[in-house]
Every structure is written in C-alpha cells, then in structure tokens.
Amino acid sequence: QVQLVESGGGLVQPGGSLRLSCAASGFTISNYVMSWYRQAPGKERELVAFITSGSGVTNHADSVKGRFTISRDNAKNTMYLQMNSLKPEDTAVYYCKARRIWYSIESEYWGQGTQVTVSS
C-alpha cells in the first residue's frame, strides 16, 4: 500500500528550527520527484522545495532559500525538510508529495500534512 506520512511539525518560536520527515511506503522515493508544499490559512498551496529522482538535485523557493533544506535518505525511504530561522509567515500545514511519469503513466501521492506554527 502506497503511503506518505509526515511528522515533525509543532509550535516553535521565531528564529527556531524544526525538521519535518516524510516516510514513504509502497514505493521507492529515489525513483520519484519528491516535494514539500505548504498551505497557510486562506492561501493557496505553494511549493516549498523539491528534490529530483536519481541524482537528487534540489531546488528551494525564494522565500525559504538559505533557511530551509530538503534532503532524502534512500536507505530509510524518507525525505526531510530542515527548517531554520523560522518566521511567523512560515506558519502553515506542510505536505509532502511524490510524483513520477513512467512510460506516460503519471503517479502522484500526497501525505496528510503536518502543522507548523511559528509564534512567540
């Protein structure tokens, strides 16, 4: 059964850090483009960062560049988002996504989300 399970969210003060995890089962994350998205109340879901399949090239949104780092551990079949220097505007539900197009067949999976709240 294909599943993505996020964890690691919580309440943190401005300037603090959190590490989100996205544990995958039922498929191999290194074969997929893995992404983190977030959605704040009243706003559209936005892409935060992604890591490509295979070699694992990463890209981060300008709003988080230099503060957040996406990574994956193939042995654990888990993706991470290290979030440093957190700001109140980072408050959102964070989701992980896996996507692959293989011989014209698209597969896409989402996790259930984890809440991150940055507040003093």
Side-chain angles (χ1 to χ4, degrees), residues 19 22-24 29 73-80:
R19 188 177 81 155
C22 173
I29 65 169
D73 185 329
N74 293 339
K76 295 182 178 180
N77 214 32
T78 299
M79 175 178 68
Y80 303 98

Side-chain angles (χ1 to χ4, degrees), residues 24-94:
S25 57
F27 70 100
T28 302
I29 65 169
S30 60
N31 292 332
Y32 285 68
V33 176
M34 300 295 297
S35 307
W36 286 100
Y37 284 74
R38 67 185 181 186
Q39 187 166 21
K43 295 188 176 182
E44 293 187 354
R45 192 172 294 190
E46 64 172 350
L47 176 64
V48 175
F50 68 86
I51 182 166
T52 64
S53 58
S55 60
V57 175
T58 64
N59 195 283
H60 300 77
D62 288 343
S63 58
V64 306
K65 202 166 289 184
R67 300 188 298 121
F68 291 11
T69 303
I70 189 172
S71 64
R72 71 179 188 223
D73 185 329
N74 293 339
K76 295 182 178 180
N77 214 32
T78 299
M79 175 178 68
Y80 303 98
L81 185 68
Q82 177 66 44
M83 304 187 296
N84 299 327
S85 303
L86 283 159
K87 304 175 181 180
E89 51 263 43
D90 296 318
T91 296
V93 178
Y94 284 70

